[in-house]
């Protein structure tokens, strides 16, 4: 059962107002944040701080992204209903649920087994039918390509070419690029050989790692 108390609902409403003040204007994104019980994606010991606009620990040395960051990346995705979206870095599954709530068809990849297992079961409990995969996000999911959009929720050193190859022409990738801190990019695949790159400010993410790194 999902315990979503009046207290949680009140804190969530305040969070939606806060990220609105910080610059999120897309009503569908704000509605999704307002609808989803973020505390369900976290350990119950974090219940009291689940609706602060902060990244929080989720185990395996990883974090659930700050709600403002989740909203910012989702707003940049400019989702249309039924679009096929690939997410790299399932983590807690919270960003995944925001994409599902906005009617995207979501495929998501996580490289830490315990996080993959937990996110998959929370998403099932909440009746979101995202397709969860355990594996290396750098490789994407070639057998399900092409995707309308791709969202990367960890900091990449560069643009992964396998992921660009799995995008539709006209589709785009939302990707934080950098080592200590990252700049948010929207990379549009104009043709097979031409990418348009736009920048949207500085953020801080856990790193996107390949299989040999820990
Ligand atoms: N979207 C998540 C954010 C989690 S943090 C949420 O809402 O909770 C980023 C996640 O990316 C971490 O769980 C990390 O393990 C994962 N990650 C890092 N490199 C990866 C890779 N190469 N493939 C798949 N997942 C990766």
């Amino acid at each position: 059962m999902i315990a979503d108390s009046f207290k949680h609902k009140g804190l969530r409403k305040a969070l939606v107002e806060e990220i609105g003040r910080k610059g999120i204007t897309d009503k569908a994104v704000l509605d999704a944040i307002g609808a989803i019980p973020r505390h369900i994606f976290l350990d119950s010991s974090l219940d009291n701080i689940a609706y602060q606009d902060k990244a929080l620990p989720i185990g395996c040395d990883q974090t659930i992204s700050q709600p403002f960051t989740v909203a910012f990346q989702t707003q940049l995705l400019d989702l249309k209903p039924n679009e096929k979206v690939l997410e790299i870095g399932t983590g807690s599954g919270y960003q995944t649920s925001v994409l599902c709530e906005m009617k995207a068809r979501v495929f998501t990849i996580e490289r830490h087994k315990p996080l993959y297992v937990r996110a998959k079961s929370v998403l099932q409990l909440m009746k979101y039918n995202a397709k969860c995969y355990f594996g290396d996000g750098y490789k994407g999911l070639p057998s399900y390509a092409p995707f309308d959009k791709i969202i990367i929720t960890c900091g990449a050193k560069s643009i992964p070419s396998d992921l660009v190859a799995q995008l539709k022409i006209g589709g785009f990738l939302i990707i934080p690029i950098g080592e200590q801190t990252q700049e948010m990019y929207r990379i549009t695949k104009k043709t097979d050989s031409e990418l348009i790159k736009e920048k949207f400010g500085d953020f801080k993410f856990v790193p996107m790692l390949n299989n040999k790194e820990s």
Side-chain angles (χ1 to χ4, degrees):
M1 219 203 45
I2 298 164
D4 191 22
S5 67
F6 281 118
K7 187 175 157 218
H8 291 127
K9 288 185 178 124
L11 292 171
R12 193 149 72 238
K13 191 161 172 275
L15 173 66
V16 170
E17 285 162 8
E18 182 177 349
I19 63 176
R21 280 194 303 277
K22 288 179 175 170
I24 303 301
T25 51
D26 186 329
K27 186 169 179 309
V29 174
L30 293 170
D31 286 350
I33 303 279
I36 299 169
R38 187 176 190 243
H39 64 281
I40 302 286
F41 294 85
L42 293 165
D43 188 86
S44 56
S45 63
L46 301 173
D47 215 61
N48 283 335
I49 53 172
Y51 293 97
Q52 292 184 4
D53 189 23
K54 283 190 182 144
L56 294 169
I58 55 173
C60 302
D61 264 340
Q62 306 301 319
T63 53
I64 186 173
S65 301
Q66 183 182 343
F68 175 78
T69 304
V70 171
F72 191 88
Q73 288 197 283
T74 311
Q75 182 165 279
L76 281 180
L77 266 187
D78 191 24
L79 287 175
K80 312 283 182 292
N82 256 334
E83 277 186 331
K84 197 164 139 192
V85 178
L86 175 64
E87 177 193 25
I88 310 301
T90 317
S92 66
Y94 178 69
Q95 168 77 72
T96 320
S97 72
V98 172
L99 302 174
C100 291
E101 186 69 30
M102 293 180 70
K103 311 276 180 274
R105 284 179 292 142
V106 188
F107 296 74
T108 182
I109 310 177
E110 172 56 53
R111 74 190 283 277
H112 280 292
K113 190 89 177 248
L115 297 180
Y116 154 78
V117 169
R118 183 168 195 281
K120 190 174 170 174
S121 83
V122 177
L123 289 163
Q124 266 168 5
L125 176 76
M126 299 188 64
K127 313 258 186 287
Y128 289 123
N129 69 351
K131 306 271 185 288
C132 298
Y133 297 87
F134 169 58
D136 180 7
Y138 274 104
K139 300 198 175 81
L141 291 172
S143 47
Y144 295 98
F147 296 94
D148 294 297
K149 315 240 165 106
I150 299 178
I151 172 172
I152 299 181
T153 70
C154 35
K157 289 179 192 148
S158 58
I159 303 169
S161 53
D162 284 351
L163 297 184
V164 173
Q166 292 171 37
L167 263 182
K168 282 186 187 164
I169 302 290
F172 55 74
L173 192 80
I174 304 298
I175 176 169
I177 303 179
E179 305 221 8
Q180 298 310 316
T181 61
Q182 295 79 31
E183 282 193 291
M184 192 69 76
Y185 278 85
R186 178 163 60 198
I187 311 287
T188 304
K189 183 171 176 177
K190 198 165 176 222
T191 65
D192 275 323
S193 57
E194 193 185 351
L195 300 179
I196 300 170
K197 299 178 190 174
E198 299 164 276
K199 275 192 215 175
F200 295 90
D202 291 334
F203 288 83
K204 180 121 187 66
F205 284 83
V206 294
M208 180 170 179
L209 299 175
N210 65 40
N211 278 338
K212 291 177 206 77
E213 295 171 295
S214 58

